Amino acid sequence: MRLPYFIVVSLIFLVSAGLSLLAASYVVTKIEETSEFAVRRALDLKGHDWAEVESDGLRVVLTGIAPDEATRFNALTAAGTEVDASRVIDEMEVEATSALAPPRFSAEILRNDRGISIIGLIPASEDRDDLIRRLGNLDPNIAVSDLMETADYPKPDGWDAAISYAIEALASLPRAKISANADLVKITAIADSQQEKQRLERDLTRAAPPSLRIGLAISAPRPVITPFTLRFLINEDGGQFDACSAQDAKARDRIVTAARDAGLSGTYSCTIGLGEPSPRWPEAAEKSIQALARIGKGSVTMSDADITLVAAQGTDPALFDRVVGELETALPQVFALHAVLPEPETSEQTGPVEFSATRSPEGLVQLRGRLGDETLRDMVDSYARAAFGSDQVYTATRIAPGLPADWPVRVLAGLEALAQLHNGALTVTPGSVELTGLSHEEDAKARIAGQLSDKLGEGQEFILTITYQPPPEPEDALPDPEVCEAQIAEIQSVSKIAFEPGSATIASDSRDTVNQIADILRDCGPIRLEIQGHTDSQGREEMNQQLSQARAQSILNELRGRRIPTSSYTAVGYGETQPIADNDTEEGREANRRIEFRLIRPEPVEASETGLEALEAEAEVGAEADAPEMDQTESTAPDTDAEDQ
């Protein structure tokens, strides 16, 4: 049976439509799979494994959480290289960013003769004008350069204390570099002397707040020695130095070795400084000492390039001439030798020709002996009153004609030297100037030797018998912090501070120990002290830390109650973290339950980090400008003689 035509046509249309739909569905699925695969591969190659790809028809949907906006954009770009960018649907999110960490605030302050400069990053809330004003008040005659930047973040804890301490420290440091942040202040400075360095370190340490860490790098550059002096004597007691100067440690060791070979008794260290007249100074000193040793007794004095060799009375003239001749030949050219062989004593004695002055420990000065004329007597009297005080001088000199021509120089040079002693006696004769006495300065003997050598000139003999005695401590002087720490430790070694079990209440039988510690701290003044609390390991660690903190704070409160100034003290609990004994035994646990008093000491500062070399170089350049000029012809000459020693 044949179907009607319209039915056949309809069936053909329906079959074609179905086939078209199947083909279209297959094509779309194939496109989705191909696009998804291509985009996923591109993202993986770019390292975006966090992104997810899903195809929806012709659309490619990207999802996932990108670590930042730049990474999200990079993922979109990678997908757009595989399919048309209009087909890429961005449903990615960006990971929420955490709050930006505040910057590290710090300020670096540099002070020298040209002014003060401050550079760094400071909080915007800092009163900038007030900070510059405080720096300007240190010295109204110098300018302050403001090179600071600001950031709008809160001030960190300790910032104000650090800046205030930095400015306070800078007040006593004319040449310094200070780096300050909230928890650490580093100070690099130049001191004029070793004594000044020690004083600055002590004062800066005491002045620092207890919660602030400090680092100190204070240098004392080599002093300028003028004249550059050496004086070595040999007598019945052996060899000894009155003065010794050297340009460096190597030169010092060479000179001291020669002196030991010549009979130096005891220990002696030359002063290292600037001002040597020639790089061959140690060679000249060594040969001069060796020559004196060959003669036997006498003295050798070097003042810059002038050398005076004085033999003892009775020295064999032939030996003297031979040694002096060899020394003159061996000395470097820049040095000049003056040799003296005293005349033997005669039986004719006309009485002593001398001038004497004595200074008592109370400061009273008596002048006796001979002066050439009335003018010289008035001059000596006026000089003595100016040097010692007009009410301290008693003059009982007499006029005696016929004195040596250099008598005024010898008398005045001797009085100048006597003025540098705490007490002593001066005797001036035609043959020598003799000074004996006591000084509170370690370098007094060397300094006086240099001055007398310079003022008396070549061939003049002088004898120094000067004893060093440390100056008495002022009655109101504070003891060293280390002594205070040791005294407290000694008290606790006898009777430790104990507490009621499990509490921060001090045991009644420990209150006397606290009283003794308070008495020591009252005399010690403002030292930086950390009161440390420690426990054993029984119980939870967190509870032990809290208990140790409470006990340390309890001791601090007890000291305040005894009217001890505690602004420079801090209380810190360390819990069980620092045992000193075995916690497995009762004795060990008892030892670990303790209170300790520890000084807060400055931290060492590496010179390479703070520019110490630059500050030292600046100081030495200024010192060298005041030093005597060196002999340029000798500075490059080969030191062949020195190499043979």
Side-chain angles (χ1 to χ4, degrees):
M1 180 181 68
R2 296 179 64 182
L3 294 174
Y5 176 75
F6 74 91
I7 293 177
V8 173
V9 172
S10 298
L11 290 172
I12 293 173
F13 178 79
L14 290 173
V15 171
S16 299
L19 293 174
S20 297
L21 288 173
L22 290 174
S25 176
Y26 174 78
V27 171
V28 169
T29 301
K30 191 65 175 178
I31 292 174
E32 287 179 350
E33 292 176 352
T34 303
S35 299
E36 183 176 337
F37 176 78
V39 172
R40 187 179 299 280
R41 181 181 61 182
L43 292 175
D44 289 342
L45 289 175
K46 294 292 186 179
H48 301 303
D49 53 357
W50 51 269
E52 299 293 337
V53 183
E54 182 180 354
S55 296
D56 182 11
L58 296 179
R59 300 192 314 165
V60 177
V61 182
L62 300 183
T63 59
I65 300 177
D68 52 55
E69 187 63 34
T71 304
R72 183 194 69 82
F73 181 77
N74 188 270
L76 280 175
T77 303
T81 60
E82 299 296 331
V83 298
D84 189 275
S86 63
R87 294 170 53 196
V88 180
I89 306 303
D90 178 16
E91 293 186 0
M92 296 179 291
E93 298 178 357
V94 178
E95 184 177 354
T97 58
S98 58
L100 294 177
R104 182 174 177 81
F105 292 114
S106 65
E108 188 168 283
I109 311 173
L110 180 65
R111 180 182 182 183
N112 54 32
D113 296 336
R114 294 182 292 274
I116 297 175
S117 61
I118 178 170
I119 185 172
L121 181 66
I122 65 173
S125 58
E126 178 73 42
D127 190 338
R128 190 176 188 140
D129 294 336
D130 180 67
L131 178 57
I132 298 301
R133 179 187 59 78
R134 292 164 66 189
L135 290 172
N137 289 339
L138 298 178
D139 188 348
N141 298 319
I142 59 177
V144 178
S145 300
D146 179 2
L147 305 173
M148 295 181 291
E149 299 290 340
T150 60
D152 193 9
Y153 286 86
K155 290 182 181 180
D157 293 339
W159 171 260
D160 288 334
I163 293 298
S164 296
Y165 172 70
I167 296 175
E168 180 183 354
L170 202 65
S172 58
L173 301 171
R175 297 188 303 276
K177 172 186 171 184
I178 300 181
S179 301
N181 56 55
D183 60 354
L184 175 63
V185 175
K186 296 181 179 180
I187 300 176
T188 305
I190 295 292
D192 293 331
S193 64
Q194 189 67 28
Q195 293 78 11
E196 178 72 5
K197 172 187 175 181
Q198 295 172 355
R199 184 190 66 80
L200 286 173
E201 289 177 339
R202 182 183 66 251
D203 293 349
L204 291 173
T205 300
R206 286 181 180 271
S211 59
L212 181 66
R213 294 186 299 130
I214 62 173
L216 301 181
I218 300 178
S219 173
R222 291 183 294 164
V224 177
I225 302 174
T226 177
F228 219 69
T229 308
L230 181 145
R231 179 172 168 82
F232 185 73
L233 303 89
I234 301 178
N235 53 30
E236 295 80 2
D237 300 325
Q240 68 178 56
F241 277 112
D242 277 349
C244 178
S245 305
Q247 64 265 47
D248 52 42
K250 184 178 179 180
R252 175 198 61 198
D253 294 343
R254 184 173 178 179
I255 293 171
V256 172
T257 298
R260 287 202 180 100
D261 293 341
L264 176 65
S265 56
T267 59
Y268 191 89
S269 181
C270 301
T271 301
I272 295 178
L274 303 172
E276 75 276 12
S278 166
R280 301 182 69 178
W281 168 270
E283 177 191 354
E286 180 183 53
K287 293 186 180 300
S288 299
I289 292 172
Q290 291 171 347
L292 179 63
R294 291 174 60 192
I295 290 176
K297 293 181 181 179
S299 67
V300 60
T301 304
M302 299 177 63
S303 178
D304 288 335
D306 296 322
I307 302 176
T308 299
L309 178 64
V310 180
Q313 200 168 55
T315 300
D316 181 7
L319 173 63
F320 178 80
D321 292 340
R322 182 171 69 254
V323 172
V324 169
E326 293 173 352
L327 179 59
E328 287 179 336
T329 303
L331 285 173
Q333 292 182 0
V334 70
F335 291 93
L337 175 65
H338 184 80
V340 177
L341 179 61
E343 295 291 336
E345 293 183 357
T346 64
S347 58
E348 297 181 3
Q349 298 294 334
T350 59
V353 177
E354 65 179 30
F355 169 86
S356 66
T358 58
R359 185 181 192 185
S360 70
E362 296 76 25
L364 299 177
V365 176
Q366 293 189 2
L367 307 180
R368 301 181 183 277
R370 304 182 183 186
L371 296 174
D373 52 39
E374 192 68 34
T375 301
L376 178 58
R377 181 160 64 181
D378 292 342
M379 182 188 303
V380 169
D381 183 72
S382 299
Y383 180 86
R385 293 182 184 279
F388 302 104
S390 58
D391 297 334
Q392 305 294 316
V393 178
Y394 172 75
T395 302
T397 57
R398 67 186 184 90
I399 306 300
L403 297 174
D406 62 350
W407 195 257
V409 174
R410 297 161 70 81
V411 169
L412 293 175
L415 288 176
E416 181 183 2
L418 180 64
Q420 300 177 53
L421 301 182
H422 180 261
N423 59 277
L426 166 71
T427 302
V428 179
T429 66
S432 70
V433 174
E434 183 174 357
L435 182 67
T436 62
L438 175 70
S439 174
H440 293 321
E441 300 179 26
E442 287 188 89
D443 63 341
K445 189 174 184 179
R447 185 175 64 249
I448 291 172
Q451 293 172 354
L452 291 179
S453 175
D454 182 51
K455 295 180 182 301
L456 298 181
E458 297 180 350
Q460 298 299 316
E461 174 69 356
F462 57 90
I463 301 171
L464 301 180
T465 307
I466 299 174
T467 303
Y468 166 71
Q469 184 180 87
E473 292 290 339
E475 293 183 1
D476 57 347
L478 297 175
D480 288 337
E482 288 77 9
V483 174
C484 298
E485 184 183 44
Q487 289 176 342
I488 294 175
E490 183 178 355
I491 288 176
Q492 290 195 284
S493 67
V494 177
S495 175
K496 66 180 292 186
I497 299 176
F499 296 85
E500 298 295 339
S503 76
T505 303
I506 299 176
S508 58
D509 56 356
S510 292
R511 294 195 172 276
D512 184 59
T513 302
V514 176
N515 291 335
Q516 295 180 54
I517 293 174
D519 292 339
I520 293 174
L521 293 175
R522 186 175 291 106
D523 296 334
C524 289
I527 61 175
R528 300 180 72 215
L529 191 67
E530 183 177 85
I531 303 174
Q532 301 179 352
H534 301 272
T535 67
D536 58 28
S537 61
Q538 300 294 301
R540 291 191 296 120
E541 183 176 351
E542 181 181 358
M543 293 296 295
N544 286 334
Q545 196 283 326
Q546 294 175 356
L547 178 61
S548 65
Q549 179 66 49
R551 287 179 170 178
Q553 187 64 45
S554 176
I555 295 298
L556 183 60
N557 294 338
E558 289 287 337
L559 294 175
R560 288 172 178 164
R562 289 163 172 77
R563 309 186 69 82
I564 303 298
T566 59
S567 60
S568 57
Y569 301 174
T570 184
V572 180
Y574 288 94
E576 61 187 65
T577 61
Q578 297 183 9
I580 58 174
D582 188 356
N583 275 308
D584 292 335
T585 66
E586 179 56 36
E587 293 78 7
R589 291 191 292 271
E590 174 62 26
N592 290 331
R593 296 190 294 267
R594 68 195 189 278
I595 292 290
E596 293 186 353
F597 295 80
R598 298 294 184 189
L599 293 176
I600 303 175
R601 291 178 169 85
E603 299 179 359
V605 176
E606 293 293 336
S608 58
E609 295 180 358
T610 59
L612 180 59
E613 297 93 338
L615 285 172
E616 289 179 335
E618 179 182 344
E620 290 202 358
V621 165
E624 288 174 349
D626 298 328
E629 294 186 1
M630 294 170 55
D631 177 60
Q632 300 298 322
T633 61
E634 293 291 333
S635 61
T636 57
D639 195 356
T640 55
D641 292 337
E643 294 174 355
D644 295 336
Q645 298 299 322

